[in-house]
């Protein structure tokens, strides 16, 4: 037996699932998907031989498992592991090519956010969305949930006809829901109240790691931004979104100029409800985005550049496991900043890098007690990837790649990037495989850039690049004082963020008061500014902001904002009750991943 991923029961000696067909009925009343998935097994000696096939699952209720001829196959659900979920072992007879699993998801499925109408912008219709990275796909479909196993798929989603399903896949067609073998059964069993249903057909021709499986169901509309870009959002939000993301086609062109053709046919965007737990998620063909980046001034579109970059680094070339997460995120931050540089100039890219570097140094400080989480090459056996998550693989990875670029020069580095993406297209690789490739292509560069220190030592090598630019200097001379009105008016949101992040902790109450009076920061509509300000104020024990903090914690579910605020509130005796009250009040509106991560924080922050 050969396990290949500490976060999957997948066994590399067993047949590989390379393709699946999913039929699922979306039940908003019971908050479950009822359905059936047929998994196709690649030809192999293991398939000829038969024997166990171990799949990942989490919270799934499995009612039947059958072979390609409809014959029942023995199966067994193992004990439930807090991190991995439950191993679903099917016993294959020799030569079996397909396995069908009939099952239902749990109402607590860790990937699925089920929203009541009042948790959406329209307040009229329910909404469902998935977030499968890192290891939540198994709570939606039983499969080999590791990036080592790429799959293509087809899916039929049975949904209320008033809603629309979206998937990170190619839309085929919508059919009215009539006698549908797998799902009619579920409809009958759970008393369909006669509401009109429809079945949306999807197909995904490009093989993806399972963490990129994604779906959403809601009342959404779209606007065309270019022949290959469309933005989806709730009706009241969609025009603002279309304005915000008007520059996306130019980003794709910039990325293609550097990394080669865009391989996923379409790059559509879905602006999620506020409880979406991330800034963005690079679901192929359909990036999911937090609504907090629709700021009205395109100031936060770097998140789109980031998710777009994953089309090459992450989706085309994937980390082998969560232990090599930096390969996804470090490269993607690097690519994101190259796009920003092309589109908005070098100083803007430097500013982003400076914000990132400051955030990295703060995080490294916070993680001094957990040095293992600050090495790029992770060791995560027994550790939940959602709890290991931090900015470190992003920004430390970025700095390492920048150091390499500076060692070999941009031209040689760009050549390397293109060859790397070509060599590992539609594959997953480890840090070790990457190192071998790097050494072969750019001999000696790793050593000169201190690569081993980034990968294997905690903290940041002293040789790490430092950002410099005039714009940066102009902002960094401001703290700890309060900018004049006209100075403040000239700052972009990113510069505000940089300024707030560099203010001393604590900042005196009079300074906080002056800042808020002069610039109305507590009423900022830019989530980066607002969250930066609220954090500064909480960390300065400035009580006037607390009502705003509590309100903010109920308005958004993006973990980048929730986590630091909860941590700051929790670590101060005076504000701990506020964290408790806010969580009690708002947790039902958070996505299960965010709910769990914050719940664990309550137990671990002293
Ligand atoms: N793939 C990540 C989000 C993610 C990481 C989800 C790990 C689950 C597990 C996405 O590409 C991302 O990095 N988003 C950032 C964007 C930012 C770096 C511009 C975010 O959500 O803030
Ligand atoms: Zn990313």
């Amino acid at each position: 037996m050969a396990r290949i991923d500490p976060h999957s029961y997948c066994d590399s000696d067993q047949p590989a699932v390379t393709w699946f067909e999913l039929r699922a009925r979306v039940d908003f009343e019971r908050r479950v998907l009822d359905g059936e998935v047929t998994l196709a097994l690649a030809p192999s000696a293991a398939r000829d031989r038969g024997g166990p096939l171990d799949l990942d699952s989490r919270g799934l209720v499995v009612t039947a498992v059958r072979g390609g001829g409809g014959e029942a196959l023995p199966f067994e659900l193992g004990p439930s592991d807090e991190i991995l979920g439950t191993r679903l072992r099917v016993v294959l007879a020799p030569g079996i090519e397909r396995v069908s699993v009939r099952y239902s998801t749990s109402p607590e499925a860790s990937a699925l956010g089920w929203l009541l109408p009042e948790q959406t912008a329209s307040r009229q219709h329910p909404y469902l969305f998935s977030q499968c990275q890192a290891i939540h796909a198994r709570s939606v479909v039983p499969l080999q949930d590791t990036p080592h196993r790429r799959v293509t798929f087809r899916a039929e989603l049975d949904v209320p006809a008033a809603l629309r399903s979206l998937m990170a896949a190619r839309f085929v067609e919508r059919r009215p829901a009539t006698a549908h073998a797998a799902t009619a059964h579920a409809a009958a069993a759970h008393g369909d109240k006669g509401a009109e249903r429809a079945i949306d057909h999807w197909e995904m021709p490009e093989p993806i790691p399972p963490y990129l499986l994604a779906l959403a169901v809601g009342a959404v509309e779209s606007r065309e931004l270019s022949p290959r870009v469309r933005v989806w959002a709730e009706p009241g939000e969609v025009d603002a979104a279309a304005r915000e993301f008007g520059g996306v086609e130019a980003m794709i062109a910039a990325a293609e100029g550097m990394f080669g053709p865009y391989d996923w046919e379409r790059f559509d965007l879905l602006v999620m409800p506020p409880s979406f737990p991330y800034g963005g998620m690079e679901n192929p063909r359909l990036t999911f985005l937090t609504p907090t980046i629709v700021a009205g001034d395109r100031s936060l579109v770097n998140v789109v550049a980031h998710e777009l970059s994953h089309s090459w680094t992450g989706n085309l070339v994937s980390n082998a496991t969560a232990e090599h997460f930096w390969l996804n995120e470090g490269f993607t931050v690097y690519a994101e900043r190259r796009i920003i540089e092309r589109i908005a100039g070098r100083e803007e890219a430097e500013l982003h890098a400076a914000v990132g570097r400051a955030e990295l140094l703060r995080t490294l400080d916070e993680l001094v007690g957990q040095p293992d989480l600050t090495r790029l090459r992770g060791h995560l056996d027994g550790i939940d990837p959602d709890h290991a998550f931090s900015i470190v693989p992003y920004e430390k990875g970025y700095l390492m790649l920048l150091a390499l670029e500076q060692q070999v020069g941009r031209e040689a580095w760009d050549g390397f990037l293109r060859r790397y993406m070509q060599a590992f297209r539609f594959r997953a690789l480890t840090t070790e495989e990457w190192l071998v490739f790097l050494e072969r292509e750019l001999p000696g560069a790793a050593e000169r850039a201190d690569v081993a220190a980034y990968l294997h030592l905690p903290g940041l090598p002293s040789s790490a690049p430092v950002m410099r630019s005039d714009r940066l200097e102009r902002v960094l001379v401001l703290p700890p004082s309060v900018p004049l009105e006209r100075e403040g008016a000239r700052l972009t949101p990113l510069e505000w963020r940089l300024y707030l992040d560099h203010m001393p902790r604590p900042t005196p109450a009079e300074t906080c008061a002056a800042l808020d009076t002069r610039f109305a920061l507590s009423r900022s509509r830019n989530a980066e500014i607002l969250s930066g300000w609220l954090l500064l104020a909480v960390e300065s024990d400035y009580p006037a902001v607390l009502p705003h903090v509590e309100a903010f914690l109920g308005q958004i579910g993006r973990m980048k904002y929730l986590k630091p605020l909860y941590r700051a509130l929790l670590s101060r005796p005076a504000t701990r009750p506020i964290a408790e009250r806010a969580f009690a009040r708002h947790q039902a509106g958070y996505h299960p991943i965010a709910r769990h991560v914050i719940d664990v924080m309550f137990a671990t922050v002293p």
Side-chain angles (χ1 to χ4, degrees):
M1 109 137 202
R3 292 262 304 274
I4 42 179
D5 181 335
H7 298 115
S8 171
Y9 287 108
C10 176
D11 182 330
S12 62
D13 294 340
Q14 298 176 0
V17 174
T18 51
W19 175 88
F20 70 79
E21 189 163 69
L22 172 69
R23 296 159 156 217
R25 182 175 189 282
V26 177
D27 186 333
F28 278 99
E29 258 94 66
R30 290 164 47 246
R31 299 193 156 196
V32 299
L33 308 183
D34 296 297
E36 182 165 45
V37 67
T38 298
L39 308 170
L41 308 178
S44 66
R47 192 180 79 175
D48 296 341
R49 219 170 32 236
L53 173 68
D54 292 337
L55 303 170
D56 293 297
S57 81
R58 191 197 300 281
L60 302 182
V61 178
V62 176
T63 49
V65 180
R66 294 177 201 286
E71 74 282 17
L73 296 178
F75 69 93
E76 169 202 55
L77 278 163
S80 147
D81 179 276
E82 171 73 20
I83 298 169
L84 274 74
T86 307
R87 187 187 72 187
L88 169 58
R89 171 166 286 183
V90 178
V91 184
L92 305 173
I96 284 190
E97 295 174 10
R98 289 191 182 188
V99 174
S100 295
V101 181
R102 179 166 286 184
Y103 71 100
S104 298
T105 59
S106 155
E108 275 80 48
S110 57
L112 299 180
W114 296 90
L115 310 191
L116 297 168
E118 48 272 32
Q119 291 161 330
T120 65
S122 74
R123 311 187 139 261
Q124 308 229 336
H125 300 280
Y127 201 106
L128 164 67
F129 69 86
S130 66
Q131 166 57 46
C132 288
Q133 197 183 14
I135 52 168
H136 302 287
R138 64 194 63 177
S139 73
V140 183
V141 186
L143 36 61
Q144 295 169 321
D145 192 4
T146 166
H148 285 289
R149 291 278 182 265
R150 281 184 184 258
V151 284
T152 58
F153 64 85
R154 296 171 60 85
E156 299 178 15
L157 296 182
D158 176 336
V159 300
L163 306 182
R164 180 181 274 287
S165 75
L166 292 173
M167 287 192 84
R170 179 196 281 153
F171 180 68
V172 180
E173 61 176 345
R174 166 166 278 208
R175 291 192 206 150
T178 47
H180 190 293
T183 60
H185 155 86
H190 301 293
D192 209 327
K193 292 183 190 129
E196 291 243 356
R197 311 265 317 175
I199 296 177
D200 291 335
H201 293 241
W202 296 91
E203 67 183 8
M204 185 60 186
E206 292 89 19
I208 55 156
Y211 75 81
L212 292 176
L213 182 68
L215 62 90
V217 182
V220 287
E221 270 183 15
S222 72
R223 299 284 181 270
E224 301 285 326
L225 301 182
S226 87
R228 57 181 165 178
V229 182
R230 176 183 296 141
V231 61
W232 293 93
E234 289 190 67
E237 320 283 290
V238 70
D239 287 313
R243 283 192 297 277
E244 203 77 20
F245 304 130
V248 167
E249 179 57 42
M251 284 183 180
I252 306 179
E256 287 189 306
M258 292 183 285
F259 314 130
Y262 179 76
D263 269 315
W264 306 86
E265 191 171 308
R266 299 197 55 86
F267 182 68
D268 292 335
L269 307 171
L270 173 59
V271 178
M272 309 299 291
S275 61
F276 187 61
Y278 291 97
M281 178 64 213
E282 65 272 26
N283 298 131
R285 293 168 171 264
L286 182 68
T287 277
F288 286 16
L289 295 168
T290 169
T292 61
I293 65 170
V294 184
D297 56 6
R298 300 193 177 183
S299 58
L300 306 177
V301 292
N302 72 294
V303 177
V304 182
H306 179 96
E307 306 316 332
L308 170 64
S309 298
H310 274 305
S311 306
W312 288 267
T313 51
N315 298 6
L316 210 49
V317 181
S318 310
N319 56 203
T321 74
E323 295 186 328
H324 309 280
F325 184 53
W326 80 270
L327 280 169
N328 274 19
E329 297 301 342
F331 267 98
T332 297
V333 170
Y334 177 85
E336 166 198 341
R337 296 201 176 130
R338 290 290 301 273
I339 294 176
I340 301 290
E341 184 184 318
R342 280 220 174 180
I343 282 178
R346 199 182 166 99
E347 290 223 302
E348 179 75 7
E350 288 254 315
L351 219 49
H352 281 276
V355 171
R357 199 180 201 281
E359 207 176 327
L360 172 64
L361 294 179
R362 258 198 320 281
T363 306
L364 290 174
D365 262 356
E366 271 168 30
L367 292 175
V368 276
Q370 292 160 281
D372 288 349
L373 296 185
T374 73
R375 308 173 211 272
L376 284 183
R377 168 40 162 123
H379 294 277
L380 298 179
D381 212 345
I383 300 178
D384 183 336
D386 288 340
H387 295 127
F389 181 89
S390 81
I391 198 79
V392 172
Y394 291 75
E395 297 294 345
K396 188 176 175 182
Y398 166 76
L399 289 174
M400 182 179 83
L401 297 174
L402 187 62
L404 278 166
E405 182 204 313
Q406 291 176 354
Q407 275 305 325
V408 302
R410 183 165 275 191
E411 211 184 306
W413 180 244
D414 281 359
F416 169 81
L417 288 179
R418 271 190 300 271
R419 291 194 299 282
Y420 170 59
M421 290 176 203
Q422 192 56 40
F424 293 97
R425 278 171 63 80
F426 291 111
R427 287 181 48 195
L429 82 162
T430 62
T431 305
E432 291 69 33
E433 289 168 301
W434 175 75
L435 259 182
V436 169
F437 186 77
L438 175 68
E439 197 51 36
R440 196 181 84 199
E441 296 289 323
L442 297 171
E447 171 143 24
R448 294 200 305 277
D450 270 346
V451 160
Y454 287 91
L455 295 178
H456 303 302
L457 298 182
L460 188 64
S462 56
S463 62
V466 179
M467 284 69 226
R468 298 212 183 290
S469 80
D470 290 350
R471 259 178 80 189
L472 198 54
E473 299 312 318
R474 277 204 301 277
V475 178
L476 294 183
V477 295
L478 295 173
S481 58
V482 178
L484 300 172
E485 210 133 333
R486 59 186 154 75
E487 278 173 333
R490 273 207 308 264
L491 295 180
T492 66
L494 191 65
E495 289 169 335
W496 265 111
R497 176 75 204 286
L498 193 67
Y499 163 79
L500 292 167
D501 286 356
H502 280 82
M503 284 296 271
R505 319 285 147 137
T507 285
E510 316 80 73
T511 312
C512 288
L515 259 177
D516 206 12
T517 311
R518 199 169 287 171
F519 300 108
L521 297 179
S522 295
R523 278 182 280 126
S524 173
R525 297 167 64 75
N526 186 301
E528 286 290 313
I529 298 179
L530 180 58
S531 69
W533 157 245
L534 296 177
L535 187 64
L536 169 65
V538 173
E539 291 183 336
S540 302
D541 304 300
Y542 179 65
V545 294
L546 292 175
H548 298 284
V549 174
E550 239 185 300
F552 187 66
L553 295 175
Q555 281 153 11
I556 47 109
R558 184 177 175 187
M559 288 193 283
K560 176 184 175 189
Y561 301 143
L562 296 182
K563 287 200 307 192
L565 281 170
Y566 272 109
R567 184 176 297 111
L569 292 171
L570 280 172
S571 57
R572 290 172 172 70
T575 52
R576 196 170 172 106
I578 295 181
E580 281 160 1
R581 193 169 63 207
F583 190 62
R585 223 174 251 174
H586 303 310
Q587 60 153 319
Y590 297 157
H591 183 277
I593 296 174
R595 197 183 305 143
H596 184 56
V597 163
I598 292 162
D599 198 32
V600 168
M601 251 168 76
F602 273 79
T604 50
V605 176

